[in-house]
Amino acid sequence: MTSAPPSTSRLTDQMKAGLDAPICLTWELTYACNLACVHCLSSSGRRDPRELTTAEAEAVIDELERMQVFYVNIGGGEPTIRPDFFHLLDYSVDHGVGVKFSTNGSRIDADVARRLAGTDYIDIQLSIDGADAATNDAVRGDGSFQTAIDAMEHLAAADFGEFKISVVMTRHNVGQLDGFQALADRYGAQLRLTRLRPSGRGVDSWDELHLRHEQQTELYHWLLDRPETLTGDSFFHLNALGPENLPGLNLCGAGRVVCLIDPVGDVYACPFVQHDEFLAGNVRDPGGFTSIWRESALFTELREPQSAGACASCGQFDACQGGCMAAKFFTGLPLDGPDPECVSGHGEAALATAGAIPAVTSDHSKPVSVSLSPTRR
């Protein structure tokens, strides 16, 4: 295995112990959504009437400014559905906190695109899950691919610049990697690939959608050949395929360098584990977000040195770090056990004796049915 340069190793060790402020904060502004993606990690659809008010959201942004958080990832649901979305975007930028927001593109018309192009310190991630309508719409709903393409056209026409095209990798779209890259090249965008996690509605769709072993190997080599592709460190478990490591910090950043604020102000250690067992507090509590990040018992525990557990006997632990906490938790595996998609096969063996899958603690889904398998029209 190729070891990381000393400077990178020291930086990783520092991040494992936690930082005074998150490098990147994920903030879901609303559970409201006009789509019903089958892998939605927050089971979005219906707005929660308890979601933070505009004033409460502004107070969170004020805290992030004082903590010197560089930028925040805004998501949902579909964040642009919130009536005060553009106000909060402007408020954040005016207070020195950059915004990267994820959207299905349904609210980005020509006028909105021009407004966004004229706003500094923001970035946009347009979500698709297929390089063609059949593959994408099977996961995200009929017409969603064309909606995203229309938004890309509007952003390109407005000279927005290099927005992101964000794709959750599934067994149905991994064969379209070159197609995704071609789409990004067509619009002067940057490709961002993320891992499917079995959280939210993804618990029910994971068995059908998660990558097979040979597909993981294909993705690993494709990413090695294209280091400019963004991944958000989603695929560090693939480093066990070696000998080269994928670009990134090669660690689980939950509660160390990242966390999530949900629409009602609850703070979770990991954006992909919205479950009561990983709830650290609420921004409405005394001390707000700052106190949760710096003093919560959960985050303190996560920042302690972690045992290799069942992976200690595997020679690849230093490469893969045991994999993803969310993937393990929502498949009933212990957090110190192997990743369910362990490329050495240990996850498959562990799943045979896995415990009960944790019950979903919140579901905002609408009663909409979407097919998992793409059909050609």
Side-chain angles (χ1 to χ4, degrees):
M1 181 190 72
T2 302
S3 60
S7 59
T8 303
S9 298
R10 286 195 296 270
L11 178 61
T12 299
D13 290 342
Q14 182 181 356
M15 289 184 174
K16 285 181 178 179
L19 304 176
D20 285 342
I23 290 177
C24 171
L25 171 75
T26 297
W27 186 358
E28 295 184 345
L29 284 182
T30 184
Y31 286 125
C33 191
N34 53 337
L35 298 186
C37 303
V38 299
H39 55 35
C40 179
L41 64 92
S42 57
S43 299
S44 290
R46 295 173 287 109
R47 174 184 174 272
D48 192 312
R50 302 170 298 156
E51 71 183 28
L52 298 177
T53 66
T54 300
E56 288 173 325
E58 289 175 348
V60 172
I61 294 169
D62 292 340
E63 279 196 83
L64 301 182
E65 179 185 17
R66 290 192 294 270
M67 295 176 76
Q68 297 183 314
V69 172
F70 181 62
Y71 76 95
V72 59
N73 273 323
I74 297 292
E78 172 52 44
T80 61
I81 287 178
R82 261 190 76 133
D84 60 359
F85 170 75
F86 283 102
H87 166 75
L88 293 176
L89 185 151
D90 291 338
Y91 189 90
S92 185
V93 170
D94 290 344
H95 286 73
V97 180
V99 173
K100 177 185 294 184
F101 72 92
S102 297
T103 177
N104 56 42
S106 58
R107 299 298 180 97
I108 300 181
D109 58 19
D111 290 338
V112 169
R114 284 191 291 269
R115 175 176 180 174
L116 292 170
T119 305
D120 292 331
Y121 213 26
I122 67 166
D123 197 5
I124 300 171
Q125 292 185 165
L126 274 162
S127 298
I128 59 172
D129 288 315
D132 55 55
T135 307
N136 176 85
D137 292 5
V139 172
R140 303 184 65 83
D142 288 346
S144 57
F145 183 76
Q146 188 58 52
T147 294
I149 294 296
D150 290 344
M152 294 179 202
E153 294 280 359
H154 292 314
L155 290 172
D159 290 327
F160 175 85
E162 193 180 54
F163 60 88
K164 309 295 187 292
I165 296 176
S166 184
V167 182
V168 176
M169 298 311 303
T170 72
R171 66 180 57 174
H172 299 308
N173 68 21
V174 70
Q176 300 180 330
L177 286 166
D178 290 340
F180 287 122
Q181 186 60 62
L183 190 64
D185 292 342
R186 183 189 311 166
Y187 291 105
Q190 190 168 18
L191 184 60
R192 183 178 188 271
L193 306 180
T194 60
R195 183 181 177 184
L196 174 72
R197 268 83 168 194
S199 55
R201 286 196 290 271
V203 171
D204 297 324
S205 59
W206 191 77
D207 284 340
E208 165 68 18
L209 294 180
H210 81 93
L211 301 183
R212 300 182 179 91
H213 181 272
E214 64 274 15
Q215 293 175 322
Q216 293 197 89
T217 302
E218 175 187 354
L219 175 61
Y220 168 74
H221 289 291
W222 194 90
L223 289 171
L224 280 180
D225 290 340
R226 296 162 182 82
E228 71 282 357
T229 303
L230 302 177
T231 64
D233 267 358
S234 289
F235 302 105
F236 62 88
H237 71 294
L238 298 183
N239 287 331
L241 289 167
E244 295 181 73
N245 279 358
L246 298 173
L249 293 171
N250 190 28
L251 62 85
C252 172
R256 296 164 165 174
V257 297
V258 298
C259 68
L260 174 132
I261 301 175
D262 82 353
V264 302
D266 284 338
V267 179
Y268 295 91
C270 172
F272 306 103
V273 190
Q274 296 177 43
H275 191 278
D276 288 348
E277 288 195 32
F278 294 91
L279 177 61
N282 189 285
V283 298
R284 290 167 167 147
D285 297 336
F289 174 76
T290 306
S291 177
I292 295 169
W293 178 260
R294 295 177 178 171
E295 301 171 12
S296 75
L298 174 63
F299 287 3
T300 299
E301 179 183 354
L302 289 171
R303 292 163 188 168
E304 294 294 324
Q306 303 296 306
S307 166
C311 295
S313 61
C314 176
Q316 297 299 323
F317 178 77
D318 286 344
C320 73
Q321 297 293 304
C324 173
M325 180 175 75
K328 289 185 270 193
F329 180 74
F330 284 114
T331 52
L333 297 178
L335 299 188
D336 63 352
D339 190 294
E341 292 185 294
C342 170
V343 296
S344 299
H346 301 305
E348 184 176 350
L351 285 171
T353 58
I357 296 175
V360 175
T361 55
S362 64
D363 191 337
H364 305 273
S365 302
K366 295 177 182 177
V368 176
S369 177
V370 181
S371 171
L372 290 181
S373 299
T375 56
R376 300 294 171 181
R377 293 179 175 86

